[in-house]
Amino acid sequence: MNSPVKPTLNHGHTLTSWDMDLRQLCDTELLLNGAFAPLQGFLNEADYRCVVEGMRLVNGQLWPIPITLDVTQPFADRLEIGQKIALRDPEGILIATLALESIWIPDKRKEALNVFGTDNISHPAVDYLYHHAGEVYLGGTLKAVELPQHHDYRQHRHTPDELKAAFKKLGWKRIIGFHTSSPMHTAQRELTARIARELEASLLIHPATGMAQAGDAGHFTLVRCYQYLLAYYPEQSTMLSLLPLATRMGGPREAVWHAIIRKNYGCTHIIIERDHASPDANDCNGETFYQPHDAQQLAREFADEIGIGIVNAPKMVYVQDRTEYVAESEVRLGETVLDISGAEFQRRLRAGLVVPEWFSCSEVVNELRKVHPPRHRQGFTVFFTGLSGAGKSTVAKALTVKMLELGGRPVTLLDGDVVRKHLSSELGFSREHRDLNIRRIGFVASEISKNGGIAICAPIAPYAATRREVREMVSTHGGFVEVYVATPIEECERRDRKGLYAKARAGLIKCFTGVNDPYEVPERPELQLDTSGISPDECAHQVLLTLERQGFIKS
Ligand code: PPS
């Protein structure tokens, strides 16, 4: 929790501390190691405005993406321009100090529209801006104390200076950088090898792995996939380096940003693909956020100014008749082109179906299969929410028994009362305390789901925003099924097993949900149940059917 406490620094000074989240930590690392040159810190207000408006700093230098330090209003309220702030990683280690130059409330809508071209929250960066980023921005220059530590794949970790020195030592003069943030399949391998060959350049495979959490199996899988692929390239002219960049998926502006970063790492060229840095999701009209060539065009426009060659990657397709990949424009009339879409590839992985070698090498596919088991072997969370007395606990218990009868995965019941006894005994029922309680449940549920188990949670969880947080927390690791137990308050009150409604009506309990405290009805739960007329067993059966429909249990 960030609070303006005044810890003692190792130098004996006392400074206000900010505990950075993962994205801020990534940004800080790249600000400190020179990857974000010419930036020397988080943008101040004047630079921020210029960047949002016109992709330039006040001094005219090109910079397309606002790198800002967002904080909460209560934290900002206690700050003064000119003071120094200690920036810490999520474990509390002091990474840098910020000399505070500006504090301001950004116009987030304008930022979203100008930078990402949309304010639709299906865009991940807009969602982050609206739902995660604090309401106040801080700007100022940074002074390094200690670069963030990476204990994983140290042989593939380099600062810009280290990478430039390595290129020099190897005698590489022409270096082409390839940006990716997902597994590379044969098409990308053929594409990068071909471009490097044609340009007579060495190849830097430079995946952005910034948002990978320590202990995140997906990250290790991804890097193992890149390592397998290295064997297919000429050893003397190919290098893999992990870039701790938190991508925004900002399409054209992001492509310019990637080009500046690769220039800072010593690349002479960068490959920009079609749909470079475009989100997978579409907007509310089902349209993609950017046109396929937008990123390539904008990056080209600024290539000279950045001092890097932009290589527009052609779309590579597999021609069955020639058993090879060629650029789409080179396909001859009558030739058969084979393709497997991303969605189809995911389906095959999950269903354990064959993926042909022409699409992806077997080592990569086997590696990915380990982290994409079929749904019926993945962990998941069933999250019941509803008023006190709605029947959440009873149905959750019945469901727990059914899941145990099915067997195969460990089952943990996190009932509201039980959690309050063992995890949250010090908490009351203020909004702040309820949120903390639900976040704790979400954390435990996400750990259980991550490790392939089933978490069944049954708190009231009255607030939509906190439920959404839990959904996000769990969904990165496993399935999330929200069950709204929609038993009407009249029925809950009639039951009043604990006599709490009577006490609340008598004014003896102050913030009682549904009586004198709000319950925000879920808008899109996976299942809605009213326990008024049906038995707990029947309700649990309905949940089972939902789980079956979604593939989490086998029929
Ligand atoms: S929350 O809002 O999700 O944190 O609540 P939760 O942890 O599920 O705890 C709800 C149980 O606590 C009892 N209780 C109250 N509920 C709501 N409001 C107030 N003020 C309150 N005080 C005590 C109540 O028995 C709830 O249990 P259930 O099983 O839901 O009836």
Side-chain angles (χ1 to χ4, degrees):
M1 209 35 211
N2 278 299
S3 63
V5 282
K6 304 215 169 197
T8 307
L9 272 184
N10 33 5
H11 321 299
H13 304 296
T14 56
L15 288 183
T16 298
S17 263
W18 176 255
D19 291 345
M20 295 181 282
D21 62 20
L22 200 54
R23 179 163 124 168
Q24 294 171 341
L25 185 67
C26 289
D27 287 351
T28 302
E29 177 169 0
L30 297 187
L31 285 167
L32 295 178
N33 76 7
F36 283 175
L39 302 196
Q40 304 211 320
F42 287 101
L43 294 183
N44 61 30
E45 185 175 2
D47 279 328
Y48 166 79
R49 286 183 193 283
C50 285
V51 167
V52 169
E53 289 284 348
M55 293 189 19
R56 289 187 185 278
L57 304 173
V58 170
N59 65 13
Q61 283 177 294
L62 182 69
W63 192 265
I65 299 284
I67 306 297
T68 46
L69 184 68
D70 59 280
V71 299
T72 59
Q73 184 74 63
F75 181 81
D77 283 345
R78 296 181 178 93
L79 302 175
E80 274 171 26
I81 302 295
Q83 84 177 80
K84 281 207 170 76
I85 300 170
L87 300 184
R88 297 179 183 276
D89 74 5
E91 279 150 32
I93 294 169
L94 180 60
I95 302 296
T97 56
L98 174 89
L100 190 57
E101 284 169 29
S102 7
I103 308 173
W104 75 102
I105 296 180
D107 178 346
K108 289 190 177 181
R109 183 158 188 274
K110 183 168 183 184
E111 178 179 333
L113 289 172
N114 283 25
V115 178
F116 304 112
T118 175
D119 76 336
N120 187 309
I121 54 159
S122 313
H123 191 296
V126 177
D127 178 52
Y128 184 92
L129 192 60
Y130 286 171
H131 296 135
H132 298 270
E135 52 275 54
V136 183
Y137 285 180
L138 308 180
T141 47
L142 289 179
K143 192 157 174 245
V145 175
E146 176 182 341
L147 277 179
Q149 288 286 316
H150 297 282
H151 300 290
D152 59 320
Y153 302 111
R154 294 178 72 95
Q155 73 277 29
H156 298 304
R157 300 262 178 201
H158 309 93
T159 63
D161 284 345
E162 285 166 353
L163 210 49
K164 282 187 267 193
F167 295 156
K168 197 167 171 203
K169 191 169 171 195
L170 291 166
W172 291 7
K173 296 263 163 24
R174 189 180 277 239
I175 303 121
I176 183 144
F178 180 67
H179 170 97
T180 178
S181 49
S182 44
M184 287 170 70
H185 299 298
T186 317
Q188 284 97 352
R189 187 185 84 202
E190 292 296 309
L191 170 85
T192 47
R194 169 183 162 143
I195 291 176
R197 221 174 23 245
E198 284 175 1
L199 261 147
E200 295 181 8
S202 299
L203 177 67
L204 173 70
I205 301 173
H206 209 196
T209 57
M211 295 306 277
Q213 304 259 12
D216 177 356
H219 164 67
F220 292 90
T221 298
L222 198 57
V223 179
R224 277 199 293 272
C225 288
Y226 298 131
Q227 287 177 320
Y228 283 128
L229 229 62
L230 273 184
Y232 292 84
Y233 291 98
E235 198 186 338
Q236 302 306 322
S237 58
T238 313
M239 198 189 279
L240 170 66
S241 182
L242 307 182
L243 174 68
L245 174 73
T247 53
R248 272 55 165 181
M249 305 312 279
R253 277 200 186 214
E254 178 124 359
V256 175
W257 189 38
H258 290 175
I260 297 173
I261 294 167
R262 272 31 181 250
K263 166 79 182 171
N264 287 334
Y265 273 94
C267 293
T268 54
H269 295 74
I270 178 173
I271 298 173
I272 304 288
E273 293 187 275
R274 281 155 53 113
D275 292 314
H276 189 95
S278 287
D280 288 334
N282 289 345
D283 67 13
C284 47
N285 303 317
E287 303 285 329
T288 54
F289 286 103
Y290 310 109
Q291 294 305 309
H293 298 287
D294 284 357
Q296 294 178 332
Q297 273 160 11
L298 198 70
R300 279 244 152 142
E301 227 175 271
F302 294 102
D304 287 347
E305 189 174 344
I306 300 168
I308 195 166
I310 304 292
V311 181
N312 288 352
K315 182 172 187 222
M316 299 294 281
V317 293
Y318 183 73
V319 177
Q320 190 181 30
D321 320 59
R322 289 193 250 169
T323 62
E324 66 173 357
Y325 275 88
V326 302
E328 197 174 31
S329 58
E330 294 164 0
V331 178
R332 298 181 203 124
L333 205 66
E335 282 184 328
T336 309
V337 167
L338 301 182
D339 195 14
I340 293 179
S341 68
E344 171 60 13
F345 175 61
Q346 290 298 329
R347 189 188 75 82
R348 290 189 187 201
L349 272 190
R350 294 219 157 89
L353 300 172
V354 173
V355 176
E357 192 76 18
W358 63 259
F359 181 79
S360 194
C361 66
S362 52
E363 296 101 319
V364 168
V365 174
N366 291 340
E367 210 37 73
L368 292 175
R369 279 199 208 282
K370 290 185 206 156
V371 281
H372 295 283
R375 265 194 164 179
H376 67 272
R377 278 201 245 119
Q378 282 173 24
F380 65 87
T381 292
V382 180
F383 192 89
F384 290 93
T385 166
L387 296 172
S388 169
K392 305 179 299 292
S393 304
T394 320
V395 181
K397 273 185 206 127
L399 178 69
T400 303
V401 170
K402 284 184 193 294
M403 297 310 307
L404 287 168
E405 278 176 359
L406 278 176
R409 282 175 284 200
V411 188
T412 310
L413 175 61
L414 297 165
D415 185 46
D417 283 337
V418 177
V419 167
R420 279 200 171 257
K421 188 166 164 206
H422 296 291
L423 265 185
S424 299
S425 55
E426 84 287 17
L427 300 182
F429 289 88
S430 63
R431 173 159 196 159
E432 198 191 352
H433 278 194
R434 286 179 197 261
D435 281 352
L436 198 51
N437 180 40
I438 300 306
R439 282 192 198 111
R440 286 178 186 171
I441 295 175
F443 173 73
V444 177
S446 74
E447 286 295 306
I448 292 170
S449 305
K450 181 164 91 183
N451 292 307
I454 300 172
I456 300 178
C457 316
I460 294 180
Y463 302 116
T466 331
R467 290 194 300 260
R468 188 174 54 229
E469 265 182 53
V470 172
R471 180 184 283 274
E472 281 169 15
M473 234 188 268
V474 174
S475 301
T476 41
H477 303 298
F480 187 81
V481 174
E482 186 178 32
V483 181
Y484 171 36
V485 185
T487 313
I489 187 154
E490 297 74 24
E491 173 62 16
C492 300
E493 206 161 348
R494 194 190 60 70
R495 293 175 184 170
D496 203 10
R497 288 216 185 91
K498 302 177 188 165
L500 295 174
Y501 280 95
K503 280 192 187 159
R505 292 287 178 206
L508 299 173
I509 304 179
K510 287 281 173 294
C511 311
F512 195 78
T513 310
V515 175
N516 41 23
D517 213 53
Y519 178 82
E520 296 167 8
V521 170
E523 281 179 10
R524 278 189 298 275
E526 277 70 14
L527 178 67
Q528 179 162 329
L529 290 173
D530 178 348
T531 63
S532 306
I534 38 175
S535 72
D537 259 5
E538 280 174 83
C539 291
H541 189 67
Q542 286 197 34
V543 182
L544 273 188
L545 291 177
T546 306
L547 291 169
E548 217 173 272
R549 251 196 324 275
Q550 302 213 350
F552 289 113
I553 51 178
K554 263 194 163 174
S555 45

